[in-house]
Amino acid sequence: MINDIRFAWRTLWKTPGFTLVAILALALGIGANTAIFTVVKNVVLKPLPYRQSHQLFTIWETFLPSGWGTVSTPNFGDWREQNHSFEAIEAFSSTNRNLQGVDQPERLRATAVTANLLRMVGVPAHLGRVFEAGEDQPDKASVAVLGSALWKRRFSADPKIVGKTISLDGEQHTVIGVMPDGFQFPPQSRLATDIFIPLRVTADQRKQRGSHWMFAVGRLKDGVSTEVASADLKAVAARLARDYPKEQQGRSIRLQSLSDVVSGEVRPVLFVLLAAVGAVLLIACANVANLLLARAAVREREMAVRTALGSSRLRLVRLMLAESFVIAMLGGVVGLAVAYWGVDGIVALAGTALPRASEIQVDGSIFLYLLTACILTAFIFGLAPALRASQTDLTVGLRDGGSKGSVGGTKQWLRNALVVAELALAFVLLVSTGTLMRTLLGLMSVESGVKTENVMTFLVSPPEKKYPNEQMAERFYKPLLDHLRTIPGVRAAGAINMLPMQNWGYNGEFQIDGRPHASAGEAPRSEFREVTPGYFQALNIPILEGRDIQESDAPKRQQVALVNKALAKLYFPNESAVGHRIGDPEGWTLIVGVAGDVRQAGLDRPAMPEIYFSSQQGQLGARQMAVLVRGSTPPATLAPAIRNAVRTFDRDQPIFAVKTMESVVDESVASQRLNFRLMGIFSALAMLLASAGIYGVMSYLVNQRTREFGVRMALGAASSDVLRLVLRESAILAGVAIALGAVVALATARVLQQFIPGLTGAGAPIFLGVAALVAVVVAAATLIPAWRAMSVHPMEALRWE
């Protein structure tokens, strides 16, 4: 075999054109496969970087009719005490803190955790220690554990940081540890946590069973199955529903593995992309197989001589497979470079749409995958040509093997079949890409409910010590917005606790005054938002009825709110919502206006019922808010003035997540855009390889049929007749490929709709457009060989006789 590989290397070296084309074709297919497999392996298949991560589960509290979300403090305590399946159940809450007492204040991404959570996940601190039992109690000293990135960025990786104090929102915290590089919790967050602080629950929160705000994570005991644990917790939920019917009616518990929480949404899409690059690799294999078939036909005399000298058919097959193995290995080496480039490109294209992006890297297992792919592709594209080449007729081979003779149908059916398969696979990928593009364009054309032009937004969260809850609106947000409105070019400014198309889930049930009291699970339900005066003007959201939130809506006056059109239509279908009171008998809120609908959960979801409370009256007590500033000029020209205005207002107050509203909308369709771009790249590769394949086959056929064309023209055939003959043969191949590809594409579209939620149907225009594209590509790939056929001189052809 070693001798065969040496001979294969010398043979391939003598035909650099053929070798280069084959290597590049395989490099594209193998490299694309390796890149996507690297992403799938690191995002989906690799366990989370925690101790025995398969035992870690997120515990959601479900509610009727089909919602699920966070847990209240009392319920969390009951889950802990009454379950028998979990080694530990801990809680966390994502928050933010202002790093102060430094030259440049910074808003930090913080995660408040119960004392045992970091120990439960099983990742020790890089420096110092993690929290110990009891450090999450309100009467304990304030401590913090730094994330590695913050430690390096703001403290220059100071090895003596442990024991030092830092100021968070004006409160001194002692640094007790630093987490290692790459540690992230919660793992589903696209942005790394800067700092961990103890989750301290107040006495009031321990009594508020209806206030759901904590995320619960548990570790199963050894040997306990998910089914047993789920049944155990549901029994606890049933007892709570019996003991607290008002708050717990219709509520239960749902378990979800932590890995599913992280990658569950992207897993189906990544496997679809893996199948797509698999199709690209098959096209590349078909391409190289066609090249080898053409090469084998030219080497018929060589094979005949070897057979005459005693070589067995197995010996010839082994010789040909050695060439395939060398080509595949060289293609794999180049493909490795393509894979490295591809992984970097995918991560850059994905942005925040891809979880665990920081963990994606090419490691030893990827090299093993690459080697396996090379060996398999060597057999896939090399076996059929090897078997064909080993079927040698000694009489024909020794007489005229490798001559430019006529090629019969029985000798070219395999090449034609490979071309049809290439084109059909490319057709399927192009239709799938067209479907994704249609879905994306449909989303981008959806009316979001807001006008994003010239709107800048940023997040801000005033510290509680400096701006207590009862004074926050009057002392911070009102003067800040007034200050921003004085900037030249600013037309409107306002704030909301959750930006549109970025987040949802802050919701709950409410009662309508004058109607029968509805029980839990049957009461009206809505998203809750808190806004300042000026918010609706900043986004040009129309007030359809009634009035806007006003400065006169003071804390001690009648509680007021606006509702959106979706809520008014759902709960007040035959009457005006304005003037009705909602909430509960202990504190009714008056509806003073109806605002236009906004797609709060994203462009791919319809507008949900929403209630907009006045931030001045503090019903929700939102501290962190998104400030929106609409200008008469592009946001980039206003950004420096906005930063200076905030610094002038409060030099210790950082702003963060500064972006345009247009980018917020773009981010809401980031995953769909990533899918379309990757499928588009793979489809382009497939079409390129398929067109190269049909060009190679038609070139070879024209070359082999030189004598036939010469005879035809010597007997009176015109050049146009030869042209029509060549084009007709390629048209037949294209027609068969389009028909086969259409059938497969229809089936594929149905499968994709199950894997990718919201995917629209392909539609006749996409099929017709792709068919036209394939026809044009085939015609273009055939044009040069056809032109060569037209220019054949009869004497040149008959010379071979």
Side-chain angles (χ1 to χ4, degrees):
M1 191 64 184
I2 293 176
N3 289 332
D4 288 342
I5 291 175
R6 290 174 178 171
F7 178 77
W9 174 260
R10 292 197 301 271
T11 303
L12 293 172
W13 185 259
K14 293 178 182 178
T15 53
F18 161 82
T19 304
L20 182 62
V21 171
I23 289 173
L24 289 179
L26 287 179
L28 290 175
I30 293 174
N33 263 271
T34 305
I36 291 295
F37 177 77
T38 301
V39 174
V40 172
K41 185 254 182 185
N42 285 277
V43 174
V44 177
L45 303 180
K46 188 172 73 173
L48 294 175
Y50 309 131
R51 176 177 61 87
Q52 296 178 325
S53 61
H54 64 281
Q55 294 182 322
L56 294 174
F57 285 79
T58 296
I59 309 172
W60 304 100
E61 184 165 14
T62 64
F63 50 86
L64 295 177
S66 59
W68 48 281
T70 52
V71 60
S72 66
T73 303
N75 285 357
F76 169 71
D78 290 332
W79 291 359
R80 261 182 161 182
E81 295 174 2
Q82 298 181 29
N83 90 90
H84 303 91
S85 303
F86 284 85
E87 177 183 306
I89 296 180
E90 303 300 327
F92 70 91
S93 177
S94 295
T95 181
N96 293 282
R97 291 291 186 272
N98 293 330
L99 177 63
Q100 298 173 327
V102 291
D103 293 338
Q104 182 66 38
E106 181 180 350
R107 188 63 172 169
L108 303 181
R109 292 180 293 274
T111 300
V113 299
T114 50
N116 191 47
L117 188 143
L118 295 179
R119 294 184 182 275
M120 183 186 73
V121 299
V123 179
H126 171 67
L127 288 178
R129 62 175 178 84
V130 296
F131 303 118
E132 294 179 346
E135 285 188 319
D136 54 0
Q137 297 303 311
D139 58 343
K140 295 294 183 179
S142 297
V143 292
V145 176
L146 305 182
S148 178
L150 176 67
W151 175 53
K152 295 176 180 178
R153 183 177 72 247
R154 295 307 302 263
F155 303 101
S156 304
D158 181 6
K160 299 180 180 179
I161 189 66
V162 175
K164 294 184 178 181
T165 59
I166 58 175
S167 177
L168 301 178
D169 286 343
E171 181 181 353
Q172 297 300 310
H173 288 66
T174 302
V175 177
I176 62 171
V178 177
M179 297 307 292
D181 280 341
F183 177 79
Q184 169 64 7
F185 197 93
Q188 66 267 31
S189 175
R190 301 294 196 267
L191 300 173
T193 297
D194 291 317
I195 193 166
F196 296 91
I197 57 177
L199 179 60
R200 290 175 172 170
V201 179
T202 65
D204 287 340
Q205 288 172 327
R206 296 183 188 278
K207 301 175 184 178
Q208 297 171 358
R209 197 169 291 273
S211 176
H212 299 78
W213 60 280
M214 304 169 71
F215 293 89
V217 179
R219 177 179 291 280
L220 284 179
K221 294 179 179 178
D222 292 337
V224 176
S225 67
T226 306
E227 293 76 15
V228 171
S230 180
D232 182 18
L233 284 178
K234 285 183 178 179
V236 175
R239 288 195 293 271
L240 294 179
R242 183 185 65 242
D243 296 339
Y244 307 97
K246 181 180 178 181
E247 298 90 350
Q248 294 300 113
Q249 185 66 36
R251 292 187 175 271
S252 187
I253 291 175
R254 171 187 173 184
L255 288 183
Q256 186 180 17
S257 69
L258 207 55
S259 61
D260 282 346
V261 174
V262 175
S263 59
E265 289 187 3
V266 300
R267 183 183 295 127
V269 174
L270 289 179
F271 282 124
V272 167
L273 293 175
L274 191 59
V277 292
V280 172
L281 181 57
L282 288 177
I283 292 174
C285 290
N287 236 346
V288 178
N290 256 327
L291 292 173
L292 289 175
L293 284 170
R295 180 180 171 86
V298 176
R299 297 172 65 184
E300 283 186 1
R301 186 184 298 275
E302 175 194 341
M303 296 298 109
V305 170
R306 288 179 177 274
T307 302
L309 293 177
S311 292
S312 64
R313 187 181 182 189
L314 179 62
R315 178 72 181 83
L316 296 179
V317 169
R318 193 179 74 188
L319 181 65
M320 298 295 288
L321 283 178
E323 290 189 14
S324 300
F325 180 77
V326 171
I327 293 172
M329 289 298 110
L330 293 174
V333 172
V334 181
L336 182 60
V338 174
Y340 269 106
W341 174 82
V343 168
D344 291 340
I346 291 171
V347 172
L349 281 175
T352 59
L354 194 63
R356 306 182 70 181
S358 61
E359 300 178 36
I360 299 176
Q361 58 183 352
V362 179
D363 55 20
S365 63
I366 303 302
F367 285 107
L368 180 61
Y369 174 84
L370 181 68
L371 178 61
T372 304
C374 291
I375 295 174
L376 288 177
T377 51
F379 280 96
I380 291 173
F381 72 76
L383 187 58
L387 293 174
R388 171 69 69 176
S390 66
Q391 292 178 331
T392 304
D393 188 325
L394 289 180
T395 303
V396 175
L398 292 173
R399 184 185 66 208
D400 58 359
S403 67
K404 296 184 178 182
S406 178
V407 180
T410 57
K411 290 186 177 182
Q412 69 183 47
W413 71 266
L414 182 56
R415 285 188 294 270
N416 291 343
L418 289 173
V419 169
V420 168
E422 288 183 68
L423 290 174
L425 286 172
F427 187 96
V428 173
L429 288 179
L430 287 169
V431 168
S432 301
T433 302
T435 304
L436 290 171
M437 181 177 67
R438 181 183 180 187
T439 303
L440 180 61
L441 292 177
L443 285 177
M444 296 304 296
S445 65
V446 167
E447 181 58 47
S448 64
V450 301
K451 302 299 182 184
T452 61
E453 298 83 3
N454 298 336
V455 177
M456 175 71 75
T457 178
F458 60 88
L459 297 181
V460 64
S461 180
E464 185 174 357
K465 281 196 172 183
K466 189 172 184 179
Y467 302 99
N469 289 339
E470 62 276 6
Q471 303 176 16
M472 181 173 55
E474 188 67 25
R475 288 186 52 200
F476 183 82
Y477 282 108
K478 183 180 183 301
L480 173 62
L481 293 173
D482 288 341
H483 196 58
L484 292 173
R485 293 177 187 128
T486 63
I487 298 174
V490 171
R491 297 169 58 186
I496 186 172
N497 63 325
M498 288 185 178
L499 273 178
M501 286 159 289
Q502 257 200 342
N503 206 344
W504 67 282
Y506 197 89
N507 51 48
E509 296 177 343
F510 63 93
Q511 302 292 331
I512 300 176
D513 188 20
R515 298 185 185 179
H517 181 86
S519 60
E522 298 178 358
R525 191 170 193 87
S526 171
E527 292 291 310
F528 297 148
R529 301 290 177 260
E530 197 163 85
V531 300
T532 68
Y535 167 74
F536 294 102
Q537 292 90 334
L539 287 181
N540 276 356
I541 302 172
I543 305 298
L544 305 178
E545 189 180 353
R547 67 171 178 86
D548 196 353
I549 298 292
Q550 298 175 351
E551 300 284 358
S552 59
D553 296 321
K556 295 183 180 181
R557 300 187 65 180
Q558 168 67 54
Q559 300 283 310
V560 299
L562 275 75
V563 299
N564 68 343
K565 182 181 177 181
L567 186 144
K569 184 178 180 180
L570 180 62
Y571 298 121
F572 305 96
N574 301 316
E575 57 184 323
S576 173
V578 176
H580 282 274
R581 297 195 302 174
I582 57 176
D584 60 71
E586 296 179 1
W588 292 113
T589 298
L590 178 67
I591 299 176
V592 297
V594 177
D597 286 339
V598 175
R599 292 178 179 261
Q600 182 71 31
L603 294 176
D604 57 340
R605 300 186 185 186
M608 300 175 291
E610 285 185 283
I611 300 174
Y612 297 96
F613 297 102
S614 169
S615 66
Q616 298 175 121
Q617 296 178 330
Q619 285 105 315
L620 302 184
R623 177 162 294 277
Q624 176 177 299
M625 300 191 79
V627 178
L628 301 106
V629 181
R630 174 176 291 279
S632 55
T633 58
T637 63
L638 285 178
I642 291 173
R643 289 183 181 275
N644 289 334
V646 176
R647 180 177 289 274
T648 302
F649 174 73
D650 186 341
R651 65 179 304 275
D652 292 325
Q653 180 60 54
I655 65 174
F656 56 107
V658 181
K659 61 183 72 174
T660 65
M661 197 61 202
E662 289 180 341
S663 67
V664 172
V665 176
D666 287 342
E667 288 173 4
S668 71
V669 294
S671 59
Q672 292 91 338
R673 183 180 289 109
L674 175 64
N675 300 339
F676 164 66
R677 287 175 175 174
L678 292 180
M679 284 294 292
I681 292 172
F682 300 147
S683 298
L685 283 177
M687 200 69 248
L688 175 65
L689 292 172
S691 58
I694 194 169
Y695 172 79
V697 168
M698 297 309 297
S699 295
Y700 169 75
L701 292 178
V702 168
N703 189 53
Q704 291 298 104
R705 297 174 67 182
T706 301
R707 178 172 54 191
E708 174 193 342
F709 294 146
V711 171
R712 286 177 180 272
M713 296 178 70
L715 294 177
S719 297
S720 59
D721 296 326
V722 176
L723 175 63
R724 281 195 296 272
L725 177 64
V726 176
L727 290 178
R728 183 170 64 247
E729 292 178 353
S730 64
I732 292 173
L733 293 179
V736 174
I738 290 172
L740 179 61
V743 173
V744 178
L746 283 172
T748 303
R750 295 190 181 95
V751 174
L752 287 178
Q753 286 178 328
Q754 297 178 356
F755 279 89
I756 305 177
L759 190 68
T760 60
I766 292 178
F767 277 90
L768 293 176
V770 173
L773 176 62
V774 171
V776 169
V777 169
V778 170
T782 310
L783 187 60
I784 295 177
W787 183 265
R788 190 183 304 143
M790 290 173 57
S791 61
V792 171
H793 194 280
M795 293 304 298
E796 173 68 17
L798 297 176
R799 181 170 65 88
W800 294 97
E801 294 292 334

